[in-house]
Amino acid sequence: MPQPILTHSYYSDFYAAKGYDFLKQISQCYNTPQNLIIFSVMHCYEGSLPYINVLAELAHQLIFIPKGATANGNSEIKATIEKLPSCTIANNDITKEHLRDPLAAESFIRQYVKADSKFLLLDHGGYFSHAIEHLGKVFKEQLVGITELTANGLYKYLNRNLNHPLVTVSHLSIKAPADYEASECIVHYSDQILREEFGLKLNNDGFLKVGVIGAGNLGCGVIQYLKGKAIGNILVADIDPRRLTQFPRNGVQVSSIERLVHECNLIYCCTGNGAIPEHLLDTINDNSFIATVTSADDELNLPSLIANGALIEVGGNKLIREYQTRQGHRLYLLAGGESANTPFKTGMGDPTLYLFEAAHMLAGLQLLCQPDDFKPGIQPLNETDETAIAEHWLRHFYNYQ
């Protein structure tokens, strides 16, 4: 077997090899059929290379669908990925928007799936959610099942009539460390973007009033790292009052979304789905900044806001997209409207990403090799399997006994 290509442009070979070995050990408990096709949606990061290698070794063919936030501008990494045996990168026109059309999604899959092939959909962000009912019918015997990595992706599959199993790993406790790592990156890089583009610092109370919408893992992580930068006057809002009860004792002000949007001019949107209702954009301050933990398409329903005239794009660059509201107020989306850590390299020295990759992969392998354990519809990965992944990860990376 050819040696895996684990790094591309910087020196993290040791960490990449450790991650590859960890994922490989998880996968070796399962025997996959010769004709297996895996469709995998994931970020086009260098840190994804160990995972992509293992998936390509499991499948007769791996179809890698890069997420839009990191696909653009990463042509060199894509060229590296294409060198992997059994791995094909989907064409640039295979986007989240393209796959919303059930017939387009069917046509895309038929390029690779033959009559005797079985295939898995390893989804990340609900790319196949709009077409899944159609795909479940036309590929009834060939589609093994779906796995979904994220909470906002899972939300898109809710209320779909699924005749195949969908295993979600979005709410596993072992995903929390990676969520907090993402929160740290988002705060760090939003600070960097504000400094680079506007000469502003996050902790300059005279210019910035900070609010966080969403109090899940990512929102709590963002608040934690904001406080670490000596930002004390933070507002937090969530549609679920239960999530807000933890904050008053920790010196964070709880707020309605309406008040937060009215008072804050730097807003972190951490819900994954429609953090700021359209009518509230009419009350937003001039020269406001928004950072999102996923794409603005999901977090703000950006295409609808533009179509309805609530926002008009004015200009921008890779780090900033500038819009104007109906009131003529200027609004800036940090990181070009993507999660504020996506324009930057993600490293392999923090192995938390291998936890959720292992869970995502394991869910797919179990769908394939233990089909009787699953039923049509949405279900989480088994708690016993989650515990086993955690134990194996602790032993592999931290000599846990």
Side-chain angles (χ1 to χ4, degrees):
M1 181 178 293
Q3 288 295 308
I5 303 170
L6 300 178
T7 57
H8 170 70
S9 63
Y10 60 93
Y11 297 101
S12 51
D13 302 60
F14 168 74
Y15 298 109
K18 287 279 284 186
Y20 170 82
D21 289 343
F22 168 71
L23 295 169
K24 187 71 175 175
Q25 289 166 22
I26 298 285
S27 72
Q28 284 174 337
C29 299
Y30 297 87
N31 294 316
T32 55
Q34 293 294 320
N35 58 352
L36 174 65
I37 311 295
I38 297 177
F39 294 87
S40 179
V41 181
M42 71 182 88
H43 278 298
C44 194
Y45 285 146
E46 183 147 16
S48 302
L49 280 169
Y51 184 46
I52 295 170
N53 271 272
V54 174
L55 291 182
E57 291 167 5
L58 287 170
H60 172 70
Q61 190 172 18
L62 171 67
I63 314 302
F64 170 56
I65 306 165
K67 288 177 70 67
T70 50
N72 301 325
N74 279 329
S75 58
E76 291 182 356
I77 293 180
K78 287 197 276 188
T80 298
I81 293 169
E82 285 188 320
K83 295 176 184 177
L84 299 177
S86 307
C87 184
T88 301
I89 297 182
N91 293 333
N92 292 337
D93 59 347
I94 305 301
T95 62
K96 178 169 54 178
E97 291 72 24
H98 180 82
L99 292 173
R100 285 175 178 165
D101 179 350
L103 294 179
E106 177 190 351
S107 175
F108 167 62
I109 288 173
R110 287 198 186 279
Q111 292 178 51
Y112 307 101
V113 173
K114 296 182 171 57
D116 62 343
S117 299
K118 297 283 188 182
F119 71 94
L120 282 166
L121 298 177
L122 306 188
D123 207 350
H124 181 168
Y127 271 50
F128 289 99
S129 59
H130 291 272
I132 194 60
E133 291 168 311
H134 176 74
L135 298 177
K137 292 176 182 176
V138 297
F139 297 109
K140 183 178 180 181
E141 301 301 325
Q142 294 169 282
L143 173 59
V144 176
I146 314 103
T147 68
E148 173 54 53
L149 184 65
T150 65
N152 71 302
L154 178 63
Y155 180 86
K156 297 171 188 176
Y157 281 102
L158 297 178
N159 302 318
R160 304 284 180 185
N161 184 18
L162 299 175
N163 53 15
H164 290 77
L166 184 153
V167 181
T168 173
V169 299
S170 61
H171 293 93
L172 298 181
S173 61
I174 59 171
K175 195 168 179 290
D179 285 343
Y180 278 92
E181 166 69 10
S183 300
E184 181 183 23
C185 288
I186 288 161
V187 171
H188 174 76
Y189 287 124
S190 60
D191 190 17
Q192 182 173 331
I193 291 167
L194 288 168
R195 290 169 186 254
E196 179 74 21
E197 297 293 320
F198 298 96
L200 287 170
K201 293 174 64 178
L202 269 179
N203 56 3
N204 191 326
D205 288 343
F207 290 93
L208 296 174
K209 176 68 179 295
V210 182
V212 177
I213 302 176
N217 283 345
L218 286 162
C220 289
V222 165
I223 290 170
Q224 174 184 326
Y225 292 111
L226 287 171
K227 292 178 74 174
K229 288 184 175 288
I231 300 169
N233 192 17
I234 304 169
L235 267 62
V236 59
D238 195 287
I239 59 172
D240 186 347
R242 295 173 297 176
R243 289 184 168 181
L244 297 177
T245 57
Q246 62 185 298
F247 293 106
R249 62 183 291 273
N250 291 318
V252 177
Q253 296 183 55
V254 296
S255 167
S256 66
I257 294 175
E258 289 79 5
R259 176 192 165 200
L260 187 150
V261 170
H262 178 69
E263 293 188 10
C264 298
N265 63 348
L266 171 57
I267 301 172
Y268 288 88
C269 295
C270 307
T271 68
N273 185 62
I276 303 177
E278 180 179 325
H279 71 276
L280 290 183
L281 288 175
D282 295 334
T283 69
I284 204 163
N285 294 295
D286 193 18
N287 291 314
S288 286
F289 305 94
I290 291 181
T292 61
V293 301
T294 182
S295 75
D297 290 1
D298 292 332
E299 193 66 69
L300 299 174
N301 296 321
L302 186 61
S304 296
L305 296 177
I306 294 172
N308 296 339
L311 290 179
I312 299 170
E313 186 165 4
V314 175
N317 54 38
K318 181 180 179 180
L319 298 182
I320 292 288
R321 281 164 71 186
E322 181 181 350
Y323 293 85
Q324 194 173 78
T325 70
R326 292 187 182 102
Q327 279 62 42
H329 291 176
R330 286 165 292 185
L331 184 155
Y332 303 95
L333 295 185
L334 304 187
E338 298 293 342
S339 177
N341 58 331
T342 55
F344 303 90
K345 288 180 180 178
T346 180
M348 303 175 209
D350 177 5
T352 56
L353 78 161
Y354 300 121
L355 280 166
F356 64 78
E357 288 176 344
H360 203 208
M361 177 183 69
L362 180 62
L365 289 170
Q366 289 189 347
L367 284 170
L368 186 70
C369 301
Q370 299 167 200
D372 293 341
D373 292 349
F374 302 94
K375 59 185 184 300
I378 296 170
Q379 53 233 276
L381 186 70
N382 186 287
E383 186 175 325
T384 303
D385 294 315
E386 181 185 7
T387 302
I389 290 172
E391 186 175 2
H392 191 121
W393 182 84
L394 289 168
R395 285 200 308 269
H396 187 81
F397 290 102
Y398 297 106
N399 300 314
Y400 173 74
Q401 299 297 327

